[in-house]
Every structure is written in C-alpha cells, then in structure tokens.
Amino acid sequence: MPASRHLPTPESADLIALAREIAAKELAPRAADAERAGAFPREAFATLGRAGLLTLPYPERYGGGDQPYEIYLQALEEIGAVWASVGVGVSVHALSCFPLFAYGTEEQRERWLPDLLSGDRLGAYCLSEAHAGSDPAAMRTKAVRDGDSYVLNGAKAWTTHGGEADFYTVMARTSDEGSRGISCFHVPASTPGLEFDAPEDKMGLMGSTTATVRLVDARVPADHLVGAEGQGLAIALAGLDAGRLGIAAVATGLSQGALDTAVGYAREREAFGKAIIDHQGLAFVLADMDAAVETSRALYLSAARLKDAGRPYGREASIAKLVATDNAMRVTTDAVQVLGGAGYTRDFPVERFMREAKVMQIFEGTNQIQRLVISRHLAR
C-alpha cells in the first residue's frame, strides 16, 4: 500500500508519483535478478537521470531539480522501497556533489555541476579508510602540492560505486594539523593513478559495488581543490548530515517494502480457517511494523524541513538515521517471521530486505556514532 503523504504542491505530488511509477515498472522487476548476480545497475541510474530524479535537491541553473530536501527524500524512499542498492546509490551521488555545490567557487560550480547533475554521470564519496572509519580525522591519505597540481597517495575503503563512478570526491591530508589538515578534492575517474581493488563480497546490497579506491601518485590540478586547504573535514561532516537523511529515507523505504510484502502475504495465507492477518498475535506484529515505518518517515521529514528552512539539523539527522535504520532491521526481520518458511526463501524479497537493512545501521556513521552525536548535543 502506498505511503500516505501530505505534499506541499501539485508539482511535488507529481514527482513522487513519477518516482513510484518508475520504481514499480522499471526497477522492481529487475532488482532480484540483479542483486542475485551482483550486477551494477548503471541503466537504473540512467533511467532516473532521464526522469530528472537523480539530482532533485540541486538548483535548476546547474542542472538539478530545484526541489526541497523534503521532496527529494520522499522520492528516494519510493526508490528504496523496491531496490535499496539504487536508493543508496542516488543518496551517495547527491552526497558526492554536495561539496562542490556548497563549498566550491562559482567558476567550479559552473564548470562541473551541469555535467555531474545531467543524469549521465555518477559520483562516489571517498572519506573512510581501513583504519579510519568512525574517526575520519585519523586518515592517512595525503595530497602534496607540486607546482600547479596536487599529488594524492593513499587508499579509501568502503567506497560505494568504487570502480564504477565517473568522479570521486576525495578527502586527503594536506598537512599534519590533525582535523585541520584535511582537504577536499574533485577527482575525475580518468585521473592516472586512480586504481580499484576487487569489489567487497558482501551479505547484502550486492548490486551496489563497494571497493577500496587506491590513489598512486594520482595528480590532479590545483583548481580541483574544493574549498580551502584544511577545510575538508568540516565539508565532510556537513555532507554527512545530509547523507544521513538520505540513508534514513532509503531505510524507511526498505521498511515500507517489507511491510507491504508482509501485509499482502498475511491477507492471502490462511491458518485455522481464516487469513493469518485476522489472528491477533500476527496482527499486532504488523501493527508494530506499521508504527515503526510511520515513525521513521516522520523523523526524517522533520529533519528535512529544518534543513529546508536553513536551520541547524545535525542532531535531528542523527536521530532520524538511528531510528530509521534500527526500525528497518526490526521491520524486515519481522517480515521474514510473518512469512514463516516462505520468508526464508528467495521466492519473496523479505530475506533480501533483511540482509540489506543490516548495513544501514553501519554506514554514514554507525548507529553508535549517531548516539555519540546526539549525546554531545544534549551535553552542550
């Protein structure tokens, strides 16, 4: 059953309806086979790009959809409800474009953003390292100024779209000044010295390629520095607030997809002479699942509206990410239980949803990090 939404304009309602239609007709029929094969869904991103759904939160003058975050996230939820790998990919692409839009010069924005936001290009975000995931200030990847270029050396772990993206937003150390020594770079995929390990063999999101990106004397022009030297960690943390909302929306969509499957099955499956949805014990499980989905949606929308109003929203983004992803793990697990033995087979998508939900508690900042962020806000 489609989510009940209160949308501010007829245009936004049309956008959400378009996202739902494409998700149902173009993405859903392909998701299970692509995930089973571990096939990267490049055509799915092209489809969303042609429909104008890949870059909704950016201004029209640069090629974006000029939509508030509140609308972008609801479109993202519709995508996540049928194919989480694609939903995560859209969120990562938006995150990869953020530093250039928010901190780049006007010349950089005019030179690069129209191409990056055209729908034909896909981005990747390189922040984490094998020893520096939750603590990005500990990164070791270096960028050394050499004349009119920077030379980058290091390895970036857990990169979504690693080896598949057209450009990489890379955080690298330009000085030894701790958190103030990190800078941000726009690195095209064609850059010599950009190399990729074999994709990680994961338990879920098999269609979303995750790989270590290696920079071996990768030379980028000095004008590919985004923001000022030493500003990179601040850029990364600002981007993560928005990225956490993206993951909250995808997790909510995943929960909605699991709930819809469970309700549909429970209406049809009979036990003791009646549909299992009419047995109170199971009906209460479904009611709790529904409440969890609505809670997740309300939280990410509340945070998005603060962002759209230009108000601080970091705490609220962490709360939304924490609750939505924990709820997704619980809702998808319950969906498997509702379907019983059938839920443990690949005849239904809920076993895939359950595997996909787990990583959402981990990336864009583990949920333990979200609790740390929230508690620090309380201590101020």
Side-chain angles (χ1 to χ4, degrees):
M1 58 182 180
S4 175
R5 303 186 187 279
H6 176 67
L7 297 165
T9 66
E11 179 191 13
S12 61
D14 289 344
L15 273 172
I16 301 306
L18 175 64
R20 183 178 297 147
E21 180 181 9
I22 290 175
K25 294 182 178 179
E26 303 288 339
L27 304 184
R30 299 162 50 195
D33 288 344
E35 288 296 317
R36 193 170 291 124
F40 185 71
R42 187 64 193 237
E43 181 54 35
F45 294 112
T47 297
L48 294 171
R50 288 191 294 269
L53 296 173
L54 192 59
T55 53
L56 285 176
Y58 291 102
E60 285 183 354
R61 73 177 185 273
Y62 299 125
D66 210 19
Q67 291 298 308
Y69 236 71
E70 172 188 359
I71 303 307
Y72 156 65
L73 293 176
Q74 291 182 84
L76 192 57
E77 183 195 329
E78 294 288 347
I79 296 165
V82 302
W83 199 348
S85 286
V86 176
V88 168
V90 173
S91 179
V92 167
H93 178 73
L95 175 62
S96 303
C97 296
F98 170 80
L100 191 59
F101 169 68
Y103 293 89
T105 65
E106 185 58 27
E107 189 275 332
Q108 287 176 324
R109 288 193 287 264
E110 290 180 353
R111 179 172 24 149
W112 287 319
L113 274 179
D115 193 32
L116 306 187
L117 298 179
S118 67
D120 296 327
R121 299 283 179 173
L122 197 62
Y125 192 75
C126 298
L127 176 63
S128 294
E129 298 182 5
H131 59 281
S134 295
D135 180 16
M139 73 175 60
R140 297 172 186 163
T141 295
K142 288 189 175 182
V144 178
R145 184 70 182 256
D146 181 25
D148 59 357
S149 301
Y150 285 90
V151 179
L152 278 63
N153 282 279
K156 291 295 183 177
W158 311 112
T159 302
T160 301
H161 302 159
E164 301 285 355
D166 300 296
F167 69 97
Y168 295 81
T169 297
V170 178
M171 303 298 169
R173 184 166 293 285
T174 48
S175 79
D176 295 326
E177 297 182 62
S179 62
R180 294 185 296 277
I182 296 167
S183 301
C184 178
F185 296 89
H186 172 72
V187 182
S190 59
T191 302
L194 199 60
E195 301 174 359
F196 310 97
D197 287 2
E200 303 290 347
D201 188 10
K202 303 174 301 195
M203 71 181 281
L205 294 183
M206 273 82 82
S208 176
T209 302
T210 306
T212 293
V213 176
R214 297 191 182 276
L215 301 116
V216 183
D217 291 330
R219 184 177 292 271
V220 299
D223 64 3
H224 283 48
L225 173 70
V226 179
E229 271 199 16
Q231 197 177 13
L233 189 60
I235 293 173
L237 295 179
L240 285 176
D241 283 342
R244 285 165 182 162
L245 290 184
I247 296 307
V250 175
T252 302
L254 192 63
S255 297
Q256 184 71 59
L259 173 64
D260 291 347
T261 303
V263 169
Y265 184 86
R267 287 171 175 167
E268 298 295 328
R269 179 77 162 89
E270 291 189 358
F272 306 105
K274 59 182 179 181
I276 62 175
I277 199 169
D278 293 325
H279 291 277
Q280 187 179 79
L282 191 62
F284 282 7
V285 172
L286 293 167
D288 285 343
M289 293 166 67
D290 191 28
V293 175
E294 291 292 344
T295 300
S296 299
R297 183 175 297 118
L299 284 170
Y300 85 65
L301 285 174
S302 177
R305 287 163 185 153
L306 288 174
K307 175 176 169 54
D308 288 333
R311 294 173 57 186
Y313 69 99
R315 167 180 163 272
E316 290 78 7
S318 285
I319 291 172
K321 195 271 184 184
L322 168 66
V323 174
T325 58
D326 279 354
N327 279 349
M329 191 72 250
R330 184 166 59 253
V331 168
T332 56
T333 302
D334 284 345
V336 172
Q337 191 72 21
V338 169
L339 271 67
Y344 200 65
T345 72
R346 293 190 175 182
D347 294 336
F348 293 88
V350 291
E351 61 82 28
R352 171 167 62 88
F353 292 166
M354 180 179 171
R355 289 184 285 106
E356 291 168 342
K358 184 63 224 177
V359 75
M360 297 189 188
Q361 296 176 301
I362 298 170
F363 56 22
E364 297 290 4
T366 68
N367 283 4
Q368 287 70 32
I369 289 295
Q370 306 313 317
R371 290 177 170 89
L372 180 63
V373 171
I374 296 163
S375 64
R376 284 180 174 172
H377 276 278
L378 295 175
R380 289 176 185 171

